[in-house]
Amino acid sequence: MQNGDTVRIAHRRRLLAGAVALLLAGLATACQTTPAPGRTTAADGPAAAVPEQSPARFFGPDSFGKLSITMTEREALATGELQTEPVSTVLGKTVYSFVGGPKPDPARMAADEKLEQAVAKADAGTDTSAAGSAKAAKAYADSAQRMVERLEAFLGAGGASFRDGKLDAIAAPAGAVTAAGVKRGSSLAALKAAYAGQGLTSSSKTAYQLPVPGHAGWTVLFELKGDTVQYMSIGRGQP
């Protein structure tokens, strides 16, 4: 999961500790495969069936298909790899699916925007009544849950997210494979063997990261389910 989004989730949970514990029950385990990034995440599209990539295309360390981490949003859209309309535009990010991936859902996007407006109102703290506190608690909990859902959808289907017009993350779709042969379904042992001596480190109990050569602050993130690679992404400032 992308780091900035995860920090925001954690911050809101701390704000709600105690009085609204029941509202947040279960959120801590809702995103079992993500470390404390982005993703992010980011990111951030509606859940949908994951399109198969045939033949497999190489993913990383600094690109996927025609996309490169040095691209602006305009340059990335010009490659034809991404759909022309975003699937999410909240939390300061614009997220696109790959061509053939999930389509934008205007109703869901509008609901997400409305939810974030409710969170902004809660952040302002102008209503300190019991009813106002209850509304704020619900807004925080609903927003945190939607962050998890959007990030899991982004990682599952694959796509690219942008912040301030610059590429922020690329999530690998099903079928993508690294030059070293790692893909979804690869074992942890295979992951470690593939990148032995290349800077692979554990970033959490459920993820490993690999620095992107020549691009300080960028990493390839391998997120695990058990001892198996479930998601792969390239991101700026991933833990």
Side-chain angles (χ1 to χ4, degrees), residues 199-227:
L200 182 72
T201 59
S202 174
S203 57
S204 76
K205 293 181 179 179
T206 58
Y208 282 76
Q209 65 179 11
L210 185 72
V212 176
H215 298 279
W218 286 84
T219 59
V220 182
L221 190 68
F222 301 93
E223 304 194 51
L224 309 176
K225 184 174 183 179
D227 289 332

Side-chain angles (χ1 to χ4, degrees), residues 3 7 64-65 77 82 100 118 168 180 185 187 207 223 226-227 235:
N3 190 45
V7 169
F64 177 68
L77 290 173
L82 303 170
D168 185 71
S187 67
E223 304 194 51
D227 289 332

Side-chain angles (χ1 to χ4, degrees), residues 13 29 38 62 83 85-86 102 105 118 130 139 148 170 190 203 214:
R13 287 179 183 169
T29 57
D62 61 0
Q83 297 189 62
E85 297 296 328
D105 182 346
V148 170
I170 304 174
S203 57

Side-chain angles (χ1 to χ4, degrees), residues 156-197:
S161 68
F162 301 83
R163 189 185 294 276
D164 298 326
K166 297 179 180 179
L167 197 146
D168 185 71
I170 304 174
V177 59
T178 71
V182 176
K183 58 185 178 180
R184 293 188 189 185
S186 292
S187 67
L188 175 57
L191 173 65
K192 290 181 176 179
Y195 294 108

Side-chain angles (χ1 to χ4, degrees), residues 27-106:
L27 285 180
T29 57
C31 193
Q32 296 177 359
T33 62
T34 55
R39 281 245 134 107
T40 323
T41 160
D44 292 304
V50 178
E52 290 295 330
Q53 300 289 324
S54 181
R57 295 194 292 169
F58 287 127
F59 182 78
D62 61 0
S63 63
F64 177 68
K66 298 177 182 178
L67 296 178
S68 168
I69 62 175
T70 61
M71 286 181 170
T72 64
E73 184 174 347
R74 180 177 295 181
E75 290 170 339
L77 290 173
T79 66
E81 295 277 4
L82 303 170
Q83 297 189 62
T84 57
E85 297 296 328
V87 294
S88 177
T89 56
V90 299
L91 302 176
K93 292 186 180 182
T94 304
V95 181
Y96 296 86
S97 295
F98 290 117
V99 170
K103 300 290 185 182
D105 182 346

